[in-house]
Amino acid sequence: MAEPGGSRSGWTILRTLFGVMGVVAFVLGLVGLRRLDDAAGSWGDTIYYTLQLYVLGSDPLQPPHGEVSAPLQAARFMAPLFTLATVVETGRLLLAGELRKFRSRTARRHAVVCGDTPFAQALADQLFATGHRVVVVRSAPFGPLELRHRRLLGVAGDARTAAVLRAAGLRRARYLYVCGDDDQVNHRVSVTAGTELQLRRSSPRIYVQLNRQQTCHSLQARRLGAAGTNRFRLDYFHVDDIAARTLYLRHPLDPPSSGAAPVRLLISGEGSFARVLLVETARYWRAVGGARDQLHVDVIGADAGRTVATLQARFPFLESACRVRAHNELLDTWLPRITRPARYERIYLCHRDEQRMLDLALESPQLWQAVGEAVFVATYQASALAEAFHGGEHNDLLDEVGGKLVMYPIITRACDANLIADDLTERLARRFHQRYLDVVPAAPGSVSGVAWSQLPESMRNANRAQVQGIAAKMQALGCVIAVRNGEDGLITERELELLAELEHRRWCAERRGRGWRHGERRDDRRRTHPDLVDWSELGEASRDKARDAVRYMSEMLADEGFTIVRLNEEPIGATAV
């Protein structure tokens, strides 16, 4: 694991200086002792007496002795200093483990990364490189020189045990990342952390990596339904989701100008990244304002038709954001039929058989000629090969086929702490705020009538609390949140009114908890608001704002691939909205 270059180079220079001093002291000692005692005899005796200088003494220097020359005087002081430096450095290395444990236990506002995987190590490196203090927890012991900088700490042990998490300073941490290669172990670590953090007013955010994308999506729904039962933030993430979002941050795709030909993409493969990439492509295209007819996506795979149908049933915006066509065949048979010149702007290769996919990408001029911008090769294992292709402006070891070949290492690109922190709660909170900006006219001087990036943290927390309040609403209806399969749960008019009243109560409690009170007009400086009254006293315009928030909740859940499932046989009321 890396450490800052300045500190490392400083220690290296200091050690080099002491090493040079030790050698110089030895040479000067030899010269000085030969001058002091010409009758010393053999060089073996002189070497022996010189070595004695390093332990604060030498037999020829015991009184009476001859005149001490300048070289010997210098050696008498330099040799013990070298010995002292050696003892200090040795002690520091021997005590490094204990000092590291102490610093880990006493760390504050740091990030704890649990796991022995390459992803866990890469994430710790990325966090450290961006200025975070990091405590790494893994089962394998640390070497004496492995973690040399004070901000990169380590605890060896089983992260499933409370003692190890306490040794990592969990209760004072800002983030906990659980990144093992066994999902059951990761669940156990999160349960142990939850037990340690229960009833605490301030707790770290917990992010648990899961290694199966479908399970990750399902558990996000279960967590959203339980978010109001404890104080700490917890979310699950999958590397495919993070890597797909990173792809369009690194390689933006612009809508064509009016009248220009539509952008054409090809997604080939049957892996989970291909499915995630299709959804993220549509979500990105909608976010940048692209029209449906401006983006055509072909999906190639042995079971492409069923895959696309499943995704369109789960994510309703997929069909409305772009044109998607599925082709149940392999790329080998599809490629010869691609017309020239280049038919596709981009081709994404996302195959499970990575070696075969690499061979195709590296050996097929026909594939390079079929694309206008680039062929993206999504790989979990060939991160080193990706660095060889894209090592930097003056460090590319391999030709990128004129820029048309892009190796995309999923594990490396998923190590983005900012995107991991932009979890489901954060995304829904941001959308709640955007909906508020779209519906409610900004009051003069209002601190809430600004973009999310400019919003004070207290107001962001208010939107996050609105997301966490979804769980209470589902409980009031006798409903749960589940993965969407093409149908959305319908809320009756009576249920809408009930949930709107619950939302108003939650809002009033959250505002009063931050010191707000009722006033004739809204004043953010004095913290007064006219809507801080009971539902029965609330005006119809303010009631409509609460109703709109409830309606929008269903729309947001559908965009994330979730729906409301009723556990009761009969809804409250009869007319659905």
Side-chain angles (χ1 to χ4, degrees):
M1 294 185 182
E3 58 183 75
S7 175
R8 183 174 183 177
S9 61
W11 276 106
T12 301
I13 293 173
L14 191 59
R15 293 189 188 101
T16 302
L17 289 177
F18 276 111
V20 171
M21 184 176 66
V23 173
V24 171
F26 184 78
V27 174
L28 294 177
L30 284 176
V31 174
L33 286 173
R34 294 299 293 183
R35 292 180 181 178
L36 177 67
D37 189 5
D38 292 334
S42 68
W43 274 96
D45 291 338
T46 304
I47 293 174
Y48 176 76
Y49 296 145
T50 303
L51 293 175
Q52 286 183 332
L53 292 173
Y54 291 89
V55 290
L56 300 175
S58 182
D59 290 345
L61 292 178
Q62 303 301 320
H65 55 72
E67 182 180 355
V68 178
S69 63
L72 187 55
Q73 284 284 23
R76 290 174 66 185
F77 290 96
M78 294 173 64
L81 283 176
F82 172 78
T83 301
L84 178 62
T86 302
V87 171
V88 170
E89 179 67 9
T90 302
R92 191 183 70 85
L93 292 177
L94 292 176
L95 294 175
E98 295 302 319
L99 290 174
R100 187 171 62 235
K101 292 178 183 178
F102 174 77
R103 291 198 298 266
S104 299
R105 287 194 300 268
T106 57
R108 292 182 179 276
R109 306 296 291 167
H110 58 290
V112 179
V113 180
C114 301
D116 293 59
T117 62
F119 178 81
Q121 180 175 342
L123 179 60
D125 287 342
Q126 192 263 351
L127 286 164
F128 177 69
T130 53
H132 289 82
R133 195 173 191 184
V134 183
V135 177
V136 179
V137 180
R138 73 183 194 195
S139 58
F142 294 93
L145 298 178
E146 187 171 353
L147 302 175
R148 287 175 286 180
H149 194 269
R150 62 176 304 182
R151 287 198 302 159
L152 190 59
L153 308 171
V155 175
D158 189 346
R160 293 172 291 182
T161 61
V164 171
L165 292 180
R166 285 196 295 267
L170 173 66
R171 293 183 178 181
R172 294 177 300 277
R174 188 176 183 182
Y175 305 105
L176 170 64
Y177 301 91
V178 186
C179 309
D181 55 6
D182 187 324
D183 286 354
Q184 294 306 312
V185 173
N186 292 349
H187 290 316
R188 175 52 57 188
V189 174
S190 66
V191 170
T192 303
T195 304
E196 282 291 296
L197 298 173
Q198 61 183 338
L199 304 180
R200 293 185 63 84
R201 294 184 61 86
S202 178
S203 299
R205 297 182 182 183
I206 302 176
Y207 302 106
V208 181
Q209 179 190 357
L210 295 181
N211 296 286
R212 188 169 181 266
Q213 200 277 333
Q214 185 173 348
T215 302
C216 178
H217 195 213
S218 299
L219 291 185
Q220 283 179 330
R222 302 276 53 78
R223 176 57 189 167
L224 190 59
T229 62
N230 47 59
R231 294 180 181 273
F232 59 85
R233 281 265 297 272
L234 180 146
D235 194 33
Y236 300 93
F237 71 93
H238 190 275
V239 294
D240 288 350
D241 295 323
I242 308 299
R245 291 159 64 189
T246 305
L247 190 149
Y248 285 109
L249 289 177
R250 287 174 169 263
H251 307 278
L253 190 65
D254 298 325
S257 57
S258 178
V263 175
R264 297 182 180 274
L265 306 179
L266 174 66
I267 299 177
S268 175
E270 65 289 338
S272 65
F273 187 72
R275 298 191 294 270
V276 170
L277 183 60
L278 175 59
V279 176
E280 186 58 33
T281 299
R283 182 177 281 122
Y284 171 84
W285 192 252
R286 184 179 63 172
V288 298
R292 180 177 186 268
D293 291 336
Q294 291 180 315
L295 179 63
H296 295 184
V297 182
D298 286 328
V299 180
I300 306 280
D303 203 15
R306 186 167 65 174
T307 297
V308 170
T310 300
L311 292 176
Q312 287 177 334
R314 180 166 299 177
F315 300 96
F317 68 86
L318 182 57
E319 192 169 4
S320 61
C322 58
R323 293 185 177 274
V324 182
R325 295 187 302 173
H327 307 273
N328 294 326
E329 58 181 299
L330 301 180
L331 184 61
D332 307 68
T333 59
W334 178 260
L335 191 59
R337 300 204 303 273
I338 298 179
T339 58
R340 305 294 186 271
R343 177 175 182 178
Y344 295 105
E345 188 71 15
R346 294 180 181 181
I347 294 178
Y348 298 108
L349 301 184
C350 315
H351 297 257
R352 289 196 184 100
D353 189 344
E354 291 198 10
Q355 189 55 57
R356 183 171 174 274
M357 177 179 63
L358 287 172
D359 290 343
L360 177 65
L362 295 173
E363 300 175 4
S364 176
Q366 193 176 25
L367 184 66
W368 308 336
Q369 295 166 354
V371 68
E373 181 182 336
V375 177
F376 289 77
V377 183
T379 174
Y380 295 93
Q381 302 172 1
S383 58
L385 181 59
E387 290 185 15
F389 270 103
H390 319 298
E393 183 179 358
H394 304 292
N395 196 33
D396 286 347
L397 303 182
L398 298 172
D399 171 38
E400 300 171 3
V401 194
K404 285 198 170 186
L405 183 61
V406 178
M407 303 294 296
Y408 193 74
I410 293 175
I411 299 298
T412 302
R413 295 294 179 259
C415 291
D416 190 324
N418 291 328
L419 288 182
I420 294 174
D422 190 30
D423 56 10
L424 181 60
T425 297
E426 198 75 2
R427 296 196 301 272
L428 294 181
R430 193 163 56 241
R431 290 194 60 176
F432 265 130
H433 178 66
Q434 185 58 47
R435 180 67 171 188
Y436 171 82
L437 296 180
D438 295 340
V439 173
V440 180
S446 171
V447 297
S448 59
V450 296
W452 179 265
S453 59
Q454 300 172 296
L455 200 65
E457 192 64 21
S458 61
M459 300 304 296
R460 293 189 186 188
N461 286 333
N463 286 281
R464 293 164 186 150
Q466 190 172 4
V467 176
Q468 293 171 336
I470 293 176
K473 295 180 179 65
M474 295 300 101
Q475 186 177 5
L477 291 185
C479 297
V480 296
I481 298 172
V483 173
R484 191 176 185 273
N485 60 3
E487 299 180 357
D488 289 319
L490 299 177
I491 300 175
T492 66
E493 289 284 357
R494 185 177 175 185
E495 288 173 333
L496 174 65
E497 200 70 9
L498 170 64
L499 294 185
E501 183 175 351
L502 287 176
E503 171 58 23
H504 178 68
R505 290 178 185 174
R506 183 208 62 78
W507 177 83
C508 288
E510 185 270 330
R511 283 297 174 104
R512 291 189 178 111
R514 293 195 290 118
W516 285 67
R517 66 186 188 279
H518 176 262
E520 293 300 322
R521 63 183 183 87
R522 174 169 179 167
D523 189 324
D524 288 355
R525 185 176 60 85
R526 297 181 178 180
R527 296 190 178 184
T528 60
H529 201 293
D531 289 347
L532 282 171
V533 295
D534 291 339
W535 179 259
S536 59
E537 303 174 41
L538 195 64
E540 195 62 25
S542 297
R543 289 188 179 192
D544 282 340
K545 288 191 292 185
R547 294 176 186 127
D548 181 77
V550 173
R551 293 190 185 97
Y552 190 59
M553 176 187 71
S554 299
E555 180 181 333
M556 286 195 313
L557 291 175
D559 271 1
E560 293 293 338
F562 302 125
T563 189
I564 298 173
V565 175
R566 193 180 306 279
L567 299 180
N568 301 325
E569 293 184 3
E570 295 294 333
I572 302 174
T575 306
V577 297

